[in-house]
Amino acid sequence: MSTSTVSATKSAPQGSGRRKLTLPWILLIIAGGLALLSLVRVISGANDLTSIGQVSGALQLAVPIGLAGLGGLWAERAGVVNIGLEGMMILGTWFGAWAGYQWGPWTGVVMGIVGGALGGLLHAIITVTFNVNHIVSGVAVNILALGFTQYLSNFTFDKAPGGSSKQSPRIDPLTEITVPGLSDWLATLQAKHWFLVSDLAGVLGGLVTNLSLLTVVAVLLVPATWWVLWRTAFGLRLRSCGENPVAAESLGVNVYKYKYIAVVVSGAMAGLGGAFLAIVSTGIYQEGQTGGRGYIGLAAMIFGNWMPGGMALGSGLFGFTYSLRLRGGAENVHAMLLLIAILLVLVLVWQLYKKKYVQAAVAGVFAAALFVWYALTDSVPSQFVDAAPYLTTLLVLALSAQRLRMPKADGLPYRKGQGK
């Protein structure tokens, strides 16, 4: 059965033959990005771009986005579009905070996962069993989650000491890890502001300083997801449901079961991201604290071409952009104008190499405009700073749209026995 399923899966069209984002390519992209950031830091004088605080903040902001992206990846690899990630994250924040302030943070983490999984189960029942349009179901889950948590807050948090109808009492923090000696040495090295060396020290320092245990768990879920979905028979069957469920059913795969598992796991991942927001990022539940991170996680998954490594790269990019807004604000975002201009010059060179002169001209015009903007100003408007993460989301999706290849049966209706 496994051999036949492999053949059926491999027979699916593989797009235009573009190279996948394998680990060596991801590491190469990270190294190139770090070198560019270092160059921009030296030219602009924005030394906080790659500081330990910046990297640590970016990682903390990237984790909820990455967990939502992982949730979307699980669901869509089984053929179910999960627009409801935002609602599942909201359930995770509420249930995580509700259990966390009463019985401790780790109980809150577990209950956050359970809350998100319940949202995933609801989405699975609506889409898999009743065959409702996936987008409609996802939007309904988002609306229901928001209203449900607002209703529950009125007679739980509102009655608790230190809480209100819009926020929970404070939750005890989780254990944080700092590697003694190494953290201080990297901080000293980063403070010297040497080209590339200090930037590398800042990145490594952010990974060994005040690191929550839940962050470690979340990061490990990325390779764990890759191993389960691409290196096990279970993952092969699940992915076959997203590529060709009729063929999978003919080979004995219980398509409904695998879709249910995938969507429930998807909700659990999003719920964990919500619990992270409530317990690690802020220490309390606040109404509206997800701030659209479920949708941005979906964008990160699409940017990563429905692969865990690419999704993690996209989440890191969005987390870094969020962190720029919070630390240094206008100065850091102003420096990023220079970085984007340099990237557009590289795009210009690449398009000229491929003899795509129209695209090259467009990249050249925008690069020139950004260079002029950077040279003639010392800062950017505060409105632009606030919009930077969302503009980054749109820009990344626009630039990556040409290489995307979603699962073939993603979002398509399926009924048991429809191929007979």
Side-chain angles (χ1 to χ4, degrees):
M1 171 244 167
S2 297
T3 305
S4 303
T5 309
V6 170
S7 302
T9 305
K10 286 186 176 180
S11 66
Q14 296 299 315
S16 55
R18 290 177 174 84
R19 190 183 299 273
K20 290 182 179 180
L21 276 177
T22 56
L23 181 60
W25 277 100
I26 290 173
L27 294 176
L28 185 62
I29 291 170
I30 292 173
L34 185 60
L36 276 177
L37 274 176
S38 183
L39 177 64
V40 169
R41 178 186 60 79
V42 171
I43 295 173
S44 66
N47 290 320
D48 195 44
L49 274 179
T50 54
S51 67
I52 289 176
Q54 173 73 39
V55 174
S56 179
L59 181 61
Q60 189 174 98
L61 291 164
V63 165
I65 296 172
L67 287 170
L70 273 182
L73 189 148
W74 270 85
E76 300 211 8
R77 278 294 175 180
V80 179
V81 175
N82 194 355
I83 297 293
L85 289 169
E86 179 75 6
M88 296 167 200
M89 284 192 79
I90 292 172
L91 291 172
T93 59
W94 193 91
F95 279 97
W98 172 72
Y101 88 88
Q102 298 181 88
W103 303 301
W106 285 111
T107 306
V109 170
V110 173
M111 287 304 297
I113 293 172
V114 171
L118 289 174
L121 178 61
L122 176 62
H123 187 51
I125 292 171
I126 296 172
T127 56
V128 178
T129 301
F130 293 103
N131 221 15
V132 174
N133 181 277
H134 298 188
I135 305 300
V136 173
S137 173
V139 172
V141 169
N142 291 338
I143 296 172
L144 285 171
L146 180 60
F148 183 59
T149 53
Q150 288 175 343
Y151 170 73
L152 290 177
S153 295
N154 287 329
F155 61 86
T156 51
F157 298 148
D158 192 39
K159 308 296 182 183
S164 71
S165 61
K166 295 187 181 296
Q167 73 175 48
S168 70
R170 185 151 293 277
I171 308 163
D172 292 335
L174 289 169
T175 304
E176 292 186 341
I177 303 171
T178 296
V179 180
L182 179 61
S183 176
D184 294 334
W185 177 70
L186 289 171
T188 302
L189 196 58
Q190 182 257 316
K192 296 183 181 296
H193 306 310
W194 293 335
F195 175 75
L196 197 56
V197 175
S198 292
D199 302 282
L200 182 59
V203 172
L204 295 177
L207 300 177
V208 297
T209 305
N210 298 329
L211 193 66
S212 169
L213 282 176
L214 191 55
T215 302
V216 177
V217 172
V219 171
L220 290 177
L221 284 174
V222 176
T225 292
W226 172 83
W227 183 80
V228 170
L229 293 183
W230 274 269
R231 286 294 181 269
T232 66
F234 168 83
L236 178 61
R237 295 185 184 98
L238 188 146
R239 288 185 295 115
S240 72
C241 296
E243 295 292 344
N244 194 331
V246 175
E249 182 188 346
S250 70
L251 296 169
V253 175
N254 187 334
V255 176
Y256 280 7
K257 181 182 80 171
Y258 281 92
K259 285 180 179 286
Y260 260 89
I261 291 172
V263 181
V264 170
V265 171
S266 174
M269 292 280 191
L272 179 59
F276 185 95
L277 280 173
I279 297 170
V280 177
S281 298
T282 60
I284 56 172
Y285 162 83
Q286 292 176 305
E287 187 177 303
Q289 74 185 129
T290 55
R293 286 176 177 84
Y295 300 113
I296 297 176
L298 205 59
M301 178 206 67
I302 295 170
F303 165 78
N305 209 9
W306 289 264
M307 295 293 291
M311 184 282 306
L313 197 63
S315 301
L317 173 63
F318 296 137
F320 181 74
T321 311
Y322 265 106
S323 186
L324 286 179
R325 185 185 69 172
L326 298 176
R327 293 177 55 90
E331 179 187 357
N332 285 341
V333 175
H334 182 251
M336 292 303 291
L337 295 177
L338 180 60
L339 175 63
I340 296 171
I342 294 172
L343 289 173
L344 286 173
V345 169
L346 296 177
V347 172
L348 166 65
V349 173
W350 178 250
Q351 296 297 343
L352 286 174
Y353 171 75
K354 297 176 70 176
K355 298 182 180 180
K356 294 183 177 180
Y357 300 112
V358 174
Q359 293 89 330
V362 172
V365 168
F366 277 99
L370 288 174
F371 276 124
V372 171
W373 187 3
Y374 175 79
L376 297 180
T377 60
D378 294 325
S379 62
V380 294
S382 59
Q383 295 87 346
F384 185 83
V385 175
D386 293 337
Y390 307 102
L391 291 174
T392 302
T393 304
L394 293 174
L395 182 62
V396 165
L397 288 179
L399 292 177
S400 63
Q402 298 303 313
R403 66 172 183 84
L404 299 179
R405 191 258 172 193
M406 66 192 298
K408 190 177 178 182
D410 192 17
L412 298 181
Y414 166 79
R415 282 293 186 189
K416 187 175 180 179
Q418 71 180 39
K420 295 179 180 179

